[in-house]
Amino acid sequence: MDAITRMRCFIQVVDSKGFSAAAREMGRSKALVSKYIGELEDELGARLLNRTTRQVSLTEVGEAYYKEAAEILQRIDDLQASVQSSHHAIRGRLRVSAPRSMGDGWLNRAMMEFLVDNPEVVLDLRLEDRFVDVVDEGFDVAIRVTDLEDSSLIARKIAPFRTVVCATPQVIEKYGVPQTPADLQSRPCIIDTNYRFKQNWGFSENGQRITVTVSGPVEVNSASAGRDAALCNLGFLRTPLIFVSEDIRNGTFVPMLEDYEPDNRGIYAVYPHRRHLTGKVRAFVDHLVAWFAERKRTGENCPG
């Protein structure tokens, strides 16, 4: 960096035809400008400028150095401008990870509408239910449903998220309504392995997090398959509210233990860096936040 600073100082002295004028252009003292030129000449082992009390002029070596240095600095400036333009522009490949059950529904719509508005973005979308390593696997953004445990990653909340325990009237008639989460331990439950804790269902009781270990006749890795299992009276289902809200409205499913559901869960966009966030990532996350806010405002069926 010092070499480049000295080089820029030298170019400015030549272009300004003097130390005083160069100092004014650079916003530095004349003594500092003179110091930079002296250090540059010492480093090169050659005199670049002829100095008199009235003017400066290039030596033969200085003339050759000026030409090469001007071209080098121009290439550096061009490279910097190119990187900055690419970094802030909304274009390029965007690698996104999201749970399959979310991506196959409303999240898919939100992302595709982003592409319509930003045609220079190429979306590389990976819908999978495992917990990806954002940094090691090279993702720009991961969409996660969580209560946001401590993490070295940066996260921005996109929307609130609610889950619900429910069952058909037939299951309730056979096994009764659980009064507390602990009652689920003695009842058949449909386990969605998409959740990180699988059969360990977390609830909130008197402000404290509690965990209940459940079991049942079926394990699935799909919210849709879990709903189908519940419709077949195979047990009590815990699932995102969005997947069964219509079933609850028409009486197909009966919700329960609603007071025990955690209220701090949300849908988050998780990414590695806050500083120097690329334009495509910033625009993508902003779009998702605005998209969900608009659906909530209009009452459309979506999380929250």
Side-chain angles (χ1 to χ4, degrees):
M1 181 59 70
D2 287 344
I4 293 175
T5 299
R6 294 174 190 138
M7 190 183 295
R8 289 191 186 279
C9 187
F10 169 72
I11 296 295
Q12 189 63 61
V13 168
V14 175
D15 291 345
S16 301
K17 299 181 173 59
F19 285 83
S20 297
R24 288 193 298 271
E25 287 291 331
M26 298 176 68
R28 300 184 178 183
S29 68
K30 180 180 177 181
L32 184 58
V33 171
S34 180
K35 176 176 178 290
Y36 281 159
I37 298 301
E39 289 175 347
L40 179 60
E41 290 179 327
D42 290 344
E43 185 178 7
L44 295 173
R47 179 171 289 277
L48 302 176
L49 295 170
N50 293 314
R51 302 165 177 81
T52 68
T53 56
R54 306 182 67 176
Q55 64 179 9
V56 295
S57 61
L58 287 166
T59 64
E60 183 177 353
V61 173
E63 190 169 342
Y65 184 83
Y66 174 84
K67 180 179 179 181
E68 293 294 332
E71 291 181 1
I72 289 171
L73 290 177
Q74 185 61 56
R75 287 200 294 272
I76 291 174
D77 291 341
D78 289 346
L79 176 60
Q80 181 173 323
S82 175
V83 170
Q84 289 176 337
S85 174
S86 174
H87 186 78
H88 295 292
I90 306 175
R91 65 168 177 258
R93 181 172 293 272
L94 181 67
R95 296 197 72 222
V96 178
S97 169
R100 185 179 301 277
S101 57
M102 290 169 55
D104 285 341
W106 35 264
L107 183 61
N108 195 19
R109 287 174 47 206
M111 290 188 287
M112 299 312 150
E113 288 182 21
F114 173 76
L115 293 181
V116 172
D117 294 337
N118 299 276
E120 293 188 66
V121 172
V122 176
L123 178 64
D124 181 357
L125 175 61
R126 305 300 174 90
L127 296 176
E128 47 194 337
D129 297 319
R130 66 185 181 87
F131 203 72
V132 302
D133 188 312
V134 177
V135 176
D136 287 350
E137 298 182 48
F139 285 101
D140 294 301
V141 183
I143 307 300
R144 290 179 178 166
V145 177
T146 180
D147 53 7
L148 200 61
E149 299 171 348
D150 290 340
S151 170
S152 60
L153 300 172
I154 307 302
R156 182 175 175 190
K157 191 173 184 178
I158 296 173
F161 189 83
R162 293 179 56 198
T163 53
V164 63
V165 176
C166 60
T168 61
Q170 292 89 334
V171 168
I172 292 174
E173 182 179 1
K174 183 175 182 178
Y175 297 101
V177 176
Q179 300 302 309
T180 69
D183 292 340
L184 292 170
Q185 294 177 305
S186 59
R187 290 167 169 81
C189 294
I190 298 161
I191 299 169
D192 188 341
T193 57
N194 283 332
Y195 292 103
R196 292 177 63 192
F197 302 106
K198 300 180 173 59
Q199 76 273 23
N200 298 311
W201 290 2
F203 295 92
S204 178
E205 186 173 24
N206 299 321
Q208 299 295 317
R209 181 181 175 86
I210 61 171
T211 300
V212 174
T213 301
V214 300
S215 61
V218 60
E219 295 184 5
V220 298
N221 66 347
S222 160
S224 177
R227 175 179 174 272
D228 289 341
L231 288 172
C232 290
N233 304 316
L234 290 176
F236 293 83
L237 173 69
R238 194 182 194 193
T239 191
L241 177 59
I242 185 175
F243 291 114
V244 293
S245 57
E246 185 62 32
D247 297 310
I248 291 173
R249 277 194 291 269
N250 63 30
T252 302
F253 288 149
V254 177
M256 58 203 70
L257 302 175
E258 293 175 276
D259 291 341
Y260 292 92
E261 288 292 345
D263 59 5
N264 61 341
R265 283 181 178 154
I267 303 170
Y268 288 86
V270 180
Y271 41 92
H273 308 291
R274 185 191 306 275
R275 193 177 177 204
H276 303 314
L277 193 63
T278 61
K280 62 187 177 183
V281 172
R282 188 182 303 278
F284 178 70
V285 176
D286 286 346
H287 168 82
L288 293 182
V289 171
W291 194 90
F292 284 111
E294 176 62 17
R295 269 66 195 173
K296 183 176 182 180
R297 187 187 68 80
T298 58
E300 186 172 339
N301 188 27
C302 67

